[in-house]
Amino acid sequence: FTVAVSNVEFKNTRFINANTTANGGALFLNAGVNHVTISKCSFESNHADSYGGAIYHEGQGNNIMIYDTVFDKNTAADGGAIQLYASYSTPYTYIEISGCNFTNNRGSNGGAIYLTEAAATSTVTNSRFISNHADNAAGAIYCNSNNAKFINNTFSNNKATQISGGALYIHGNNNIISYTDIEDCYAYSKGGAICIDGDDNQIIFSTINNCQAESGAGAIYARGGNFLLDSNNITNNKAKD
């Protein structure tokens, strides 16, 4: 399904078993499409050979909002369920993903979501990420962006089997993870729960429990300046060496 117009809303719709050899197994949003709202939908068992097993958008877009939607068993090379891509010269104004369930999605990077060079403001809130799988990095969310906020989310049993970030891999500055629960996640190296790289990033008021990496930090691998870790509960995590 290709979307080439702006001011579009998808509501109470199921997208099942869609496939493409390119990007966006169920929805391909053309470059420049603005003001897209997806609410109370379901994306199940969709596949893209390239990016965004369920949804793909590349280019400048003003508002991309996804609410109360289920993503289950979607697959792609990157962004098993969703990939939103923009260049720094033409960023999104606003991305919001809230109240969604991501289960059993798979990609090489970003088992559920891949955000790259994404937005002036990106928020992922009140969502659940269960049993998503990345063959490389970021079992659930891969974020190559600045100023992203991940608030009040739950991550359980997500895996990055070859590289880093069992739940989240974040590369960029001024990103915040807060009021988030992460448990039973796995990465091969550098952050069984989180791998975060950049300046002025924060992890606050969160819980990380029973996560594991083969090496390089069972819970959090952080690199960069002015990193803040405050008011968290971090228990029973381990790196084997």
Side-chain angles (χ1 to χ4, degrees):
F1 195 113
T2 298
V3 178
V5 296
S6 297
N7 301 308
V8 178
E9 182 176 5
F10 296 92
K11 191 173 183 179
N12 298 317
T13 302
R14 297 179 71 192
F15 298 84
I16 304 171
N17 293 325
N19 288 273
T20 180
T21 57
N23 303 317
L27 289 179
F28 179 92
L29 308 177
N30 274 354
V33 168
N34 301 319
H35 302 292
V36 176
T37 302
I38 298 167
S39 63
K40 298 181 180 179
C41 292
S42 178
F43 293 82
E44 305 164 47
S45 301
N46 303 289
H47 173 77
D49 283 356
S50 294
Y51 307 132
I55 300 170
Y56 177 84
H57 185 273
E58 178 177 351
Q60 185 176 10
N62 285 329
N63 294 310
I64 308 293
M65 296 169 289
I66 305 172
Y67 303 132
D68 302 320
T69 290
V70 172
F71 296 86
D72 183 54
K73 298 184 180 71
N74 302 286
T75 57
D78 285 338
I82 298 170
Q83 185 174 60
L84 302 175
Y85 174 86
S87 70
Y88 282 117
S89 61
T90 57
Y92 296 97
T93 302
Y94 185 70
I95 293 169
E96 183 175 4
I97 299 170
S98 184
C100 295
N101 288 324
F102 294 84
T103 56
N104 304 300
N105 302 287
R106 185 164 187 162
S108 293
N109 298 291
I113 298 173
Y114 192 114
L115 302 173
T116 183
E117 301 174 359
T121 304
S122 299
T123 64
V124 179
T125 63
N126 303 313
S127 296
R128 297 171 69 247
F129 296 83
I130 311 298
S131 299
N132 302 287
H133 188 147
D135 296 322
N136 291 323
I141 299 176
Y142 186 106
C143 177
N144 181 24
S145 187
N146 303 321
N147 307 309
K149 298 179 181 179
F150 304 94
I151 303 170
N152 198 36
N153 300 297
T154 298
F155 297 85
S156 180
N157 197 39
N158 301 284
K159 296 180 181 180
T161 54
Q162 292 186 27
I163 311 180
S164 307
L168 300 102
Y169 179 97
I170 297 173
H171 179 78
N173 305 319
N174 299 304
N175 298 293
I176 299 174
I177 300 168
S178 64
Y179 296 100
T180 288
D181 293 329
I182 304 173
E183 65 176 4
D184 299 323
C185 291
Y186 169 87
Y188 182 76
S189 66
K190 295 181 180 179
I194 300 167
C195 180
I196 190 164
D197 182 6
D199 295 331
D200 301 304
N201 293 306
Q202 301 179 31
I203 302 171
I204 57 176
F205 301 112
S206 295
T207 298
I208 301 172
N209 180 58
N210 201 39
C211 295
Q212 180 176 316
E214 298 298 317
S215 62
I220 301 167
Y221 181 91
R223 185 172 62 179
N226 298 317
F227 174 67
L228 175 63
L229 186 71
D230 186 21
S231 302
N232 302 287
N233 289 319
I234 302 173
T235 57
N236 301 317
N237 305 283
K238 64 179 179 180
K240 291 186 177 179
D241 59 18

